[in-house]
């Protein structure tokens, strides 16, 4: 089966882990994702329905617009992918306009532009909620038309929601399957990259997610699969789950030399 890439560049995207995730995801009527991110799992599975949530309001706004108005959006977005737009000064002007705008459609167009022209697929905001990823300096940023069209087609089966993972998990009903891709636990104390939107996903949040997953499986008979780094902490958090170790490449480095192979966990609660 052909693998479909997400139209967004996304640090920590799940494209490389798809085979392993698909292998361990149980069957069900609806796939629920509390941390949908770029949506690689959604785009490469075949459930009847999807409930896709994220705390990032810009992401959910973009997905909702593409679901309901894909042709116009793709046509308008293409105008942001010209040689003139691939310039540092132009990028920073549009980043400022994005941060100043309250118009949902304009913000969606700029979010895609900033994502494909910014540094390495990062999505980062400062404490004031302003997008602050620097210019990426790519030779020719790719306009993901085919990926946008596939997303728009698949989105007709999906409900999108901007909410916390706690809210999402409280809505899950029997017959659903949950896949969680939370901000990853740091591999070391010096690699603490847990800023997610304007919130910080702390060890306390990681432990709460594991607790809620265990309760869902036990009390509602809803299976939950969680991906994370393989560390002492994650093994402690996920001690009630069946653990599968997978090896993947991961880095936030632009250089291919900076991408190392590391172990990750897929924790399955049933």
């Amino acid at each position: 089966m052909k693998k479909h890439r997400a139209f967004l560049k996304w640090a920590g995207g799940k494209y490389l882990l798809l085979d392993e995730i698909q292998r361990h995801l149980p069957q069900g009527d609806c796939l629920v994702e509390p941390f949908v991110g770029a949506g690689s799992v959604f785009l490469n599975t075949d459930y009847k329905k999807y409930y896709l949530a994220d705390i990032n309001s810009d992401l959910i706004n973009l997905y909702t617009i593409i679901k309901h108005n894909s042709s116009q959006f793709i046509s308008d977005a293409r105008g942001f992918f010209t040689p003139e737009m691939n310039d540092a000064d132009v990028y920073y002007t549009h980043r400022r306009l994005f941060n100043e705008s309250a118009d949902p459609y304009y913000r969606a167009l700029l979010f895609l532009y900033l994502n494909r022209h910014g540094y390495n697929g990062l999505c980062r905001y400062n404490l004031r909620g302003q997008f602050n990823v620097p210019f990426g300096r790519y030779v020719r940023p790719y306009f993901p038309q085919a990926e946008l069209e596939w997303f728009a087609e698949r989105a007709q089966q999906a409900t999108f929601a901007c909410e916390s993972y706690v809210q999402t998990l409280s809505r899950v009903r029997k017959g659903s399957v949950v896949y969680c891709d939370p901000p990853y636990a740091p591999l070391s104390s010096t690699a603490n990259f847990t800023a997610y939107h304007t919130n910080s996903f702390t060890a306390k949040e990681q432990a709460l997610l594991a607790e809620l997953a265990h309760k869902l499986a036990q009390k509602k008979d809803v299976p939950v699969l969680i991906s994370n780094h393989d560390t002492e902490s994650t093994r402690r958090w996920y001690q009630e789950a069946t653990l599968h170790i997978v090896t993947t490449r991961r880095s936030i480095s632009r250089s291919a030399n900076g991408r190392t192979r590391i172990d990750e966990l897929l924790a399955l609660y049933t």
Side-chain angles (χ1 to χ4, degrees):
M1 189 171 111
K2 179 190 173 187
K3 284 188 194 173
H4 294 272
R5 286 192 178 274
F7 69 84
L8 291 173
K9 297 173 69 173
W10 207 255
K14 286 294 164 289
Y15 187 79
L16 294 175
L17 269 183
L18 278 172
D19 289 342
E20 294 288 349
I21 291 169
Q22 289 167 338
R23 185 174 300 131
H24 297 295
L25 264 179
Q27 292 183 325
D29 296 327
C30 178
L31 180 66
V32 178
E33 291 196 56
F35 309 88
V36 66
S40 286
V41 173
F42 154 60
L43 293 168
N44 290 279
T45 50
D46 191 23
Y47 291 86
K48 290 180 189 172
K49 295 183 296 181
Y50 293 84
Y51 188 89
L52 307 173
D54 204 282
I55 197 86
N56 186 325
S57 57
D58 288 314
L59 189 70
I60 297 302
N61 173 60
L62 170 62
Y63 289 170
T64 303
I65 285 171
I66 291 171
K67 175 180 178 177
H68 296 293
N69 196 11
S70 61
S71 297
Q72 185 66 53
F73 181 85
I74 291 169
S75 176
D76 292 340
R78 190 180 290 108
F80 287 85
F81 287 75
T82 64
E84 296 76 25
M85 297 295 279
N86 189 28
D87 171 86
D89 290 340
V90 173
Y91 174 87
Y92 289 117
T93 295
H94 283 84
R95 191 179 76 174
R96 176 178 56 79
L97 292 171
F98 173 80
N99 286 324
E100 292 173 354
S101 176
D103 179 74
Y105 189 78
Y106 187 52
R107 282 182 72 90
L109 289 170
L110 288 179
F111 189 79
L112 175 60
Y113 164 76
L114 294 170
N115 172 265
R116 302 295 312 197
H117 290 75
Y119 181 79
N120 216 35
L122 289 178
C123 184
R124 190 182 66 196
Y125 300 77
N126 63 24
L127 292 176
R128 295 192 300 276
Q130 297 171 322
F131 189 86
N132 65 355
V133 175
F135 184 55
R137 304 193 181 281
Y138 298 105
V139 175
R140 186 182 300 166
Y142 170 67
F143 180 59
Q145 177 165 340
E147 291 84 350
L148 282 162
E149 290 171 346
W150 177 248
F151 187 98
E153 181 182 327
R154 299 286 291 144
Q156 303 313 308
Q157 297 166 255
T159 298
F160 297 102
C162 180
E163 60 191 24
S164 74
Y165 70 96
V166 176
Q167 290 172 292
T168 306
L169 294 177
S170 71
R171 303 180 194 281
V172 179
R173 299 291 175 260
K174 188 170 180 177
S176 298
V177 175
V178 179
Y179 170 63
C180 295
D181 181 29
Y184 272 26
L187 285 168
S188 68
S189 58
T190 58
N192 194 2
F193 187 77
T194 55
Y196 183 62
H197 200 212
T198 50
N199 300 314
S200 182
F201 206 80
T202 61
K204 185 178 178 183
E205 300 276 5
Q206 299 274 11
L208 176 59
L209 174 62
E211 180 186 332
L212 293 174
H214 181 51
K215 284 182 179 175
L216 262 181
Q218 293 300 303
K219 295 185 176 179
K220 293 189 179 179
D221 198 24
V222 172
V224 182
L225 185 67
I226 307 179
S227 52
N228 213 320
H229 283 142
D230 184 1
T231 68
E232 284 185 25
S233 295
T234 53
R235 283 177 176 261
R236 184 173 68 255
W237 296 326
Y238 305 147
Q239 59 187 303
E240 305 290 349
T242 301
L243 300 181
H244 304 279
I245 302 170
V246 294
T247 303
T248 187
R249 287 183 292 122
R250 179 176 295 276
S251 177
I252 301 183
S253 165
R254 276 167 55 118
S255 161
N257 298 330
R259 300 179 189 275
T260 54
R261 300 192 72 81
I262 61 168
D263 285 341
E264 297 194 11
L265 289 179
L266 288 174
L268 180 60
Y269 292 86
T270 56

